[in-house]
């Protein structure tokens, strides 16, 4: 298990937890600069707080997190917009609870 932080164009930080060794290795390759294509974060939103992601009323389900190069527009949103419209998530806004912030960028591993 490992926690990583990412930011979006707003500069706000969001923390994800990875439990899959392959995903953890992938995240570390992104941070090292070795992986340059699939670098954005995608996963399914859970509308509950997570102790490792303070300040937000939602988190990404660790089992659903992947990294992407390009994704469909319907899953793109900023961190703060998701927070401000959490009651609409999983309906017309972010259908299926999938979130793929296009401007997401891993910034660090949290030890």
């Amino acid at each position: 298990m490992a926690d990583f932080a990412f930011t979006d164009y707003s500069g706000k930080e969001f923390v994800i937890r990875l439990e899959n060794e392959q995903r953890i290795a992938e995240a570390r390759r992104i941070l090292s600069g070795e992986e340059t294509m699939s670098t954005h974060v995608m996963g399914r939103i859970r509308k509950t707080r997570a102790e490792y992601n303070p300040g937000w009323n939602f988190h990404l389900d660790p089992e659903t997190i992947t990294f992407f190069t390009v994704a469909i527009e319907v899953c793109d949103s900023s961190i703060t917009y998701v927070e401000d419209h959490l009651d609409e998530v999983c309906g017309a806004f972010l259908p299926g609870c999938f979130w793929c912030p296009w401007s997401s960028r891993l910034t660090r591993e949290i030890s």
Side-chain angles (χ1 to χ4, degrees):
M1 180 171 57
D3 295 339
F4 295 86
F6 75 83
T7 60
D8 64 12
Y9 66 82
S10 72
K12 301 287 185 186
E13 185 173 79
F14 194 88
V15 178
I16 57 172
R17 174 160 284 168
L18 298 176
E19 297 171 346
N20 173 303
E21 289 302 320
Q22 181 181 343
R23 290 284 176 261
I24 293 169
E26 195 174 352
R28 289 177 176 152
R29 285 194 308 275
I30 291 167
L31 287 175
S32 75
E34 182 181 339
E35 174 59 56
T36 59
M37 294 296 293
S38 296
T39 59
H40 306 291
V41 179
M42 173 190 291
R44 184 177 297 240
I45 289 177
R46 296 292 179 222
K47 297 180 184 184
T48 57
R49 288 180 169 266
E51 81 283 349
Y52 57 84
N53 188 29
W56 305 105
N57 291 306
F58 69 102
H59 68 284
L60 286 180
D61 179 344
E63 293 182 18
T64 67
I65 296 171
T66 58
F67 300 99
F68 71 94
T69 305
V70 178
I72 59 172
E73 187 174 336
V74 72
C75 64
D76 181 34
S77 182
S78 71
I79 300 166
T80 53
Y81 195 88
V82 172
E83 178 73 23
D84 292 345
H85 297 88
L86 199 53
D87 58 331
E88 301 167 41
V89 168
C90 304
F93 177 52
L94 303 180
C97 304
F98 271 95
W99 181 39
C100 62
W102 290 0
S103 68
S104 59
R105 186 177 58 83
L106 280 185
T107 55
R108 63 191 177 105
E109 183 171 358
I110 299 168
S111 45

